[in-house]
Amino acid sequence: MSQVREEQIAAVALLCDAAGVVRQILYDGLGTGLIIPGESLESALDRGSAEKCRAFLDTVVKKGAAYGWEMNLTVDGHLRSLRFSANAVTDGIFVAAGTTTTSIVAIYERFIQVENTGALSRPPAPQQFDGDTELYNELARLNNELVTVQRELIKRNIELERLNEVKNEFIGVAAHDLRNPLQVIQGYSVMLLNKRFGELSSEQQQFLSVIKRNSDFMVKLITDLLHITKIESGKLKLEPEETDLISLLQRNIELNRLLLEPKQIRVLLFTEDDLPTVLVDVPKIEQVLNNLISNAGKFSASNSTVEVRAYKNDMEIVISVKDEGQGIPADEVDRLFIPFGNVSVKSTGGEQSTGLGLAIVKRIVEGHKGRIWVQSEVGVGSTFSFSLPLTVLAKASEASG
């Protein structure tokens, strides 16, 4: 890539390796001097942006690109907010950071090697065509058209990312404003059902039960919407702590046993005795377990069994939740972890589903550097499993020490 030599742009362009180590500063229109070749991009950022930077780079490695991530540099003791976009290229990761989306687009337009399949083609030298000027001109024209289309695609991707952020922000604000009045309805319905204001007729109890059931569902839906919009905005914040995994599983299962009692579903726990402590965000891993275990009960018949297992192999700890439910058709499995992904399987007790739980679970697990998968057979049941990699846990433990 060549250095930019035209008018100043309020942005920087970098070439990093897959781990985020800066190989080359291609352009610096901010003049911060904080980004140094040979050091990691993360080290140049404010401490509060470190975790987001790792997630940003992981997204580029996995998806080939990431657009519109907001992270901070500390300049002269003050935080300076920048927007970051990046693409995987043949020799690493191209990173553009600017004060505005416009400045990032301008940086992208100055460089050719930015799209996620490698370097864009440059026209061959005329001498390679042995004087066939017509062939050379045609290839050069096609190449220029390709570059123009790819640049336009990049601009549209950045704009789509910006619109997606606006959408997430709107949903987040709307969901937050809706949750408060819904919680008031929920709370008063509970007090009325508990006869805090006097006896109720059977008809009143029936109506109030409907109000409470639907307000419970709406509060859960709103809460899940807030979670998914925060996660999709790159704002999943983990607060890991060293945790006894067996104790965490036991506590969570006791709670879910009570919730599944009405359907007389047994929840059994099987673990190895020598499981190591783990460095995890406890409330978020409990959210994962609650979702998987409650789903297992939701789609299982009464008097069935749910088994939770935890074991360690050379690379990771694996936790699985197995049910004896209806199973999921093979052609629908891919939709399970997509927000509002619909499947044909229905709950066995009329339980409602927001369609967001498994999408949230997937993102929490991946935020812990783990993975999640499912094995299912129609008429036999399903097993949802997720992992926590031991190598990451060990490094995190060393860092915290």
Side-chain angles (χ1 to χ4, degrees), residues 179-197:
R179 185 165 61 172
N180 289 335
L182 283 168
Q183 286 178 324
V184 171
I185 296 170
Q186 184 185 44
Y188 276 110
S189 65
V190 170
M191 286 192 288
L192 288 167
L193 283 169
N194 289 338
K195 302 178 182 178
R196 288 280 298 276
F197 306 107

Side-chain angles (χ1 to χ4, degrees), residues 36-52:
I36 302 171
E39 296 190 4
S40 68
L41 177 62
E42 180 184 329
S43 66
L45 298 174
D46 174 70
R47 200 171 190 177
S49 297
E51 185 176 322
K52 186 182 286 188

